[in-house]
Amino acid sequence: MIAALTVVTAACGAAPTTQTQTTTGGVNAATATSAADFGGLDKLVEAAKKEGNLHVIALPPDWANYGEIIKKFEEKYGIKIESENPDASSADEINAVKTRKGQDRAPDVLDVGQAFGFSGAKEGLYAAYKVQSWDKIPDGQKDPNGLWVNDYGGYVSIGCDAKKIGTCPKTFADLLKPEYKGKVALNGNPNKSGSAFAGVWAASLGQGGSLDDIAPGVQFFKKLKDVGNFNPVESTPATVEKGETPISIDWDYLNAGYREQFLPKGLDFQVAVPSDGVYAQYYVQAINKDAPHPAAARLWMEFLYSAEGQNLWLKGGARPVLMPSMTADGTIDKALADKLPPVEGEAKFPTEDQVTKAKDDLAKTWDAAVAG
């Protein structure tokens, strides 16, 4: 999820999985498409507990409150979550699914940027599964067959260490000002990182581009580089705290979370959703078709799409996909919802075809224009 250049690969000699995919009730967990296939949620819990483990990668504890989400799941069900390489990217997750097929170390579930979610489905990497709250999820936010489902989202934002910068930028146009020389960073390479990919797209909207044309965003970052303002260092909480990346383009829920982390340390980290590039996007949740712990993977999905799981994402500053229906039925945590950063302007959400096209266009142009 955070764009790291380190690629997760299968260890030499890694043992193939020996995890059975059949429960005591005779249900093949690997092909179950709903809790009903197990005989209900309680039977799914029973099957998942028998497996005893869930393997995940690329889930940083400070990303959308995943640290607490993992802890609550373990406490509730007594299932150990093996969380590996939390700073890996969406591309790393997909790579791990492919290279670790048949191994215990393969990821059971994925949380990836939409571009990677769509491409993974087309490659046949995911298992179809519909959670109990499926009907409450808007049709445009899920694959009709259950191969993937949007989980949580947010807006591209500009985070800024006000003590080091002084007057913080509020728009993409501001980022070109000479006082920000060498200070503006993305959360990694947009060809690997979903958040950086979104940052380029938001910039495109601010430069006259559209959801059908990401090219103006690439040209914006080329200009940012040419004037000396673009900083190629991957922005993380550590680099912000050290002063290496004092201006960070990232999701609003991540920047808002960093602000809470930095306050006790004396940093005044301000967050603004740029009015000249209002771009919102969800991440995608999916189950590895060859998950070594298929019942636990499905229980993880049920937990995430319960009111409890959705409010835990909200606690991390992210906007859960069930927020509209939970607001209507009163299960949303209103105090947490009221803390979300304000947004001016109408959000733009890309279609699957637009995401695929933008990803392809970016792959052809970014390195030569900006990274090279």
Side-chain angles (χ1 to χ4, degrees):
M1 300 192 21
I2 291 180
L5 297 180
T6 303
V7 177
V8 183
T9 56
C12 294
T17 179
T18 56
Q19 175 64 51
T20 178
Q21 294 184 342
T22 302
T23 71
T24 53
V27 179
N28 188 337
T31 59
T33 59
S34 70
D37 288 348
F38 292 86
L41 185 61
D42 289 344
K43 292 296 184 180
L44 171 56
V45 171
E46 181 181 315
K49 285 184 174 182
K50 184 177 179 181
E51 292 175 352
N53 292 285
L54 181 76
H55 191 72
V56 302
I57 67 170
L59 297 185
D62 55 2
W63 179 293
N65 200 31
Y66 261 119
E68 184 174 359
I69 290 171
I70 289 172
K71 181 181 178 182
K72 292 290 187 183
F73 181 84
E74 290 182 322
E75 291 175 349
K76 186 168 187 173
Y77 298 113
I79 295 170
K80 174 65 178 175
I81 294 183
E82 301 161 340
S83 182
E84 179 191 349
N85 195 7
D87 290 339
S89 67
S90 294
D92 295 336
E93 291 187 71
I94 296 296
N95 182 63
V97 169
K98 294 176 179 179
T99 60
R100 296 183 179 185
K101 183 177 180 179
Q103 299 178 15
D104 282 324
R105 296 173 60 250
D108 287 300
V109 290
L110 298 94
D111 184 337
V112 294
Q114 281 191 331
F116 298 92
F118 298 154
S119 62
K122 290 178 180 177
E123 292 181 69
L125 302 180
Y126 308 149
Y129 187 79
K130 296 182 179 182
V131 293
Q132 290 185 317
S133 56
W134 183 261
D135 290 342
K136 297 180 180 179
I137 301 170
D139 288 342
Q141 308 287 8
K142 59 191 178 185
D143 173 73
N145 297 314
L147 293 175
W148 57 264
V149 57
N150 288 345
D151 42 21
Y152 58 86
Y155 293 83
V156 170
S157 69
I158 301 172
C160 168
D161 182 352
K163 287 192 174 181
K164 286 188 170 63
I165 296 299
T167 302
C168 286
K170 303 295 184 184
T171 65
F172 281 103
D174 287 344
L175 295 176
L176 293 167
K177 294 179 179 179
E179 57 262 40
Y180 303 136
K181 191 175 185 67
K183 293 180 169 61
V184 184
L186 283 167
N187 186 0
N189 186 314
N191 284 314
K192 293 177 68 68
S193 160
S195 52
F197 175 70
V200 177
W201 216 340
S204 178
L205 296 178
Q207 302 299 306
S210 69
L211 294 181
D212 293 310
D213 185 14
I214 199 172
V218 176
Q219 291 306 309
F220 173 82
F221 278 96
K222 182 180 185 301
K223 186 175 182 180
L224 204 65
K225 176 185 177 183
D226 290 344
V227 300
N229 289 13
F230 182 64
N231 182 343
V233 174
E234 176 190 335
S235 181
T236 67
T239 62
V240 171
E241 188 174 347
K242 293 176 183 176
E244 295 176 16
T245 58
I247 298 176
S248 177
I249 301 171
D250 211 336
W251 296 117
D252 60 344
Y253 54 88
L254 295 183
N255 277 333
Y258 300 156
R259 173 176 170 77
E260 297 300 317
Q261 291 182 39
F262 295 151
L263 280 174
K265 300 177 181 180
L267 276 74
D268 181 13
F269 196 66
Q270 298 183 7
V271 184
V273 175
S275 58
D276 57 351
V278 181
Y279 178 86
Q281 191 174 349
Y282 285 92
Y283 272 73
V284 167
Q285 200 79 207
I287 297 173
N288 180 1
K289 182 180 68 176
D290 299 303
H293 310 101
R298 285 154 174 79
L299 181 59
W300 171 252
M301 294 287 281
E302 294 289 356
F303 178 71
L304 294 180
Y305 291 92
S306 67
E308 180 181 4
Q310 296 279 293
N311 275 320
L312 285 170
W313 269 326
L314 181 60
K315 188 176 180 179
R319 293 164 171 81
V321 71
L322 287 172
M323 191 168 181
S325 66
M326 290 173 62
T327 300
D329 66 22
T331 56
I332 200 73
D333 189 317
K334 189 175 184 304
L336 293 175
D338 289 343
K339 290 175 64 177
L340 294 173
V343 177
E344 296 181 10
E346 183 179 353
K348 296 181 182 295
F349 292 90
T351 65
E352 181 174 349
D353 288 342
Q354 287 171 328
V355 170
T356 300
K357 180 180 182 298
K359 182 182 178 184
D360 291 343
D361 291 347
L362 197 64
K364 298 172 185 175
T365 59
W366 176 263
D367 287 347
V370 184

